[in-house]
């Protein structure tokens, strides 16, 4: 029996480095899983998800599963992706990658690799969304990081939401959290938002989560969860 197609659906970015990073993740998924993995995006550039779904040949049972390459649920998951599969009963959608403790294991690893002291204040820096479901997922991610980190953990946003990452860094200093302040990137790939983190005034800024082998494991798990395998 042929396995369903895995449609790996990212947000999209104008950054050439960011596009290359996500495309590399898709290539790694193909190699690691042996599945037919197809690349799609919900914003900025193509291939557009609706077109990729339309290109899936319908068959018996589940033909494809859309796995969001997104760290939190929100409008893109619950509206854009949901709408793209609404007319196809044979194409299903998985949950976002987060919140998941394994993502915060990557964040913790990035902090260790950067040499951030274990008692430093960490600002977990997410993209930002006005959707309360996305905000709740980011808050849950911060709680998971607090379980792994010795110092205070705050949340900051690269765009759209307050506090901004720069404000969160400044607040940590003003409120007497003496010593080192680090920004932990909770982004998948480099681009405009990562540059904003680097300009936020922290002592350390970690790189995005991709590439990392654990991401492939999480995507494969989301795919399997939908199929009940």
């Amino acid at each position: 029996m042929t396995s369903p197609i895995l449609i790996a659906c990212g947000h999209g970015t104008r950054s050439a480095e960011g596009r290359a990073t996500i495309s590399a993740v898709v290539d790694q998924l193909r190699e690691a899983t042996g599945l037919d993995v197809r690349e799609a995006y919900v914003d900025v550039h193509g291939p557009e998800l609706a077109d990729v779904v339309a290109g899936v040949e319908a068959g018996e049972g589940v033909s494809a599963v859309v796995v969001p390459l997104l760290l939190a649920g929100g409008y893109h998951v619950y509206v854009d992706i949901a709408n793209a599969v609404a007319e196809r009963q044979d194409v299903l959608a998985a949950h976002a990658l987060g919140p998941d403790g394994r993502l915060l294991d990557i964040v913790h690893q990035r902090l260790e690799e950067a040499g951030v002291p274990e008692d430093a204040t960490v600002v977990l820096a997410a993209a930002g969304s006005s959707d309360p479901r996305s905000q709740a997922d980011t808050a849950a991610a911060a709680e998971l990081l607090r379980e792994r980190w010795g110092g205070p953990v705050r949340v900051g946003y690269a765009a759209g939401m307050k506090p901004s990452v720069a404000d969160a860094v400044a607040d940590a200093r003003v409120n007497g959290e003496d010593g080192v302040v680090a920004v932990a990137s909770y982004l998948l790939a480099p681009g405009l938002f990562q540059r904003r983190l680097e300009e936020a005034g922290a002592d350390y800024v970690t790189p995005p989560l991709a590439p990392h082998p654990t991401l492939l494991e999480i995507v494969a798990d989301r795919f399997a969860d939908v199929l009940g395998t």
Side-chain angles (χ1 to χ4, degrees):
M1 181 177 177
T2 302
S3 178
I5 294 164
L6 193 165
I7 301 175
C9 183
H11 179 277
T13 175
R14 292 181 176 84
S15 164
E17 185 182 5
R19 290 191 192 190
T21 298
I22 297 302
S23 291
V25 170
V26 174
D27 289 340
Q28 291 161 5
L29 278 169
R30 291 190 187 102
E31 183 176 354
T33 65
L35 296 169
D36 181 352
V37 181
R38 302 186 186 180
E39 191 171 353
Y41 297 91
V42 291
D43 203 357
V44 185
H45 59 82
E48 295 182 6
L49 178 59
D51 293 337
V52 175
V53 169
V56 173
E57 185 176 347
E60 294 183 7
V62 179
S63 301
V65 175
V66 179
V67 179
L69 299 184
L70 301 167
L71 299 179
Y75 186 90
H76 292 308
V77 172
Y78 298 111
V79 178
D80 289 336
I81 293 176
N83 286 346
V85 304
E87 302 298 321
R88 292 288 299 269
Q89 294 185 352
D90 62 318
V91 179
L92 306 179
H95 292 296
L97 301 184
D100 189 302
R102 292 170 291 182
L103 292 173
L104 283 307
D105 289 340
I106 302 174
V107 171
H108 191 274
Q109 179 183 335
R110 296 282 191 253
L111 290 165
E112 289 183 328
E113 291 169 347
V116 179
E118 274 283 350
D119 60 350
T121 294
V122 169
V123 176
L124 184 67
S129 170
S130 61
D131 191 306
R133 294 165 293 192
S134 177
Q135 296 166 28
D137 283 352
T138 300
E143 286 299 323
L144 290 169
L145 182 58
R146 290 185 182 104
E147 296 173 3
R148 293 158 171 77
W149 191 249
V153 174
R154 293 170 169 263
V155 173
Y157 297 100
M161 295 296 300
K162 295 185 180 298
S164 69
V165 176
D167 287 345
V169 170
D171 288 346
R173 300 196 191 281
V174 168
N175 290 332
E177 292 167 20
D178 296 331
V180 172
V181 179
V183 169
S185 178
Y186 195 57
L187 305 171
L188 267 183
L192 173 62
F193 287 175
Q194 181 67 25
R195 290 195 295 274
R196 288 181 179 174
L197 308 194
E198 293 163 358
E199 297 167 355
D203 301 298
Y204 295 85
V205 180
T206 64
L209 304 191
H212 197 284
T214 299
L215 290 172
L216 311 181
E217 176 185 312
I218 297 171
V219 172
D221 284 352
R222 296 292 177 269
F223 179 80
D225 289 344
V226 170
L227 300 174
T229 60

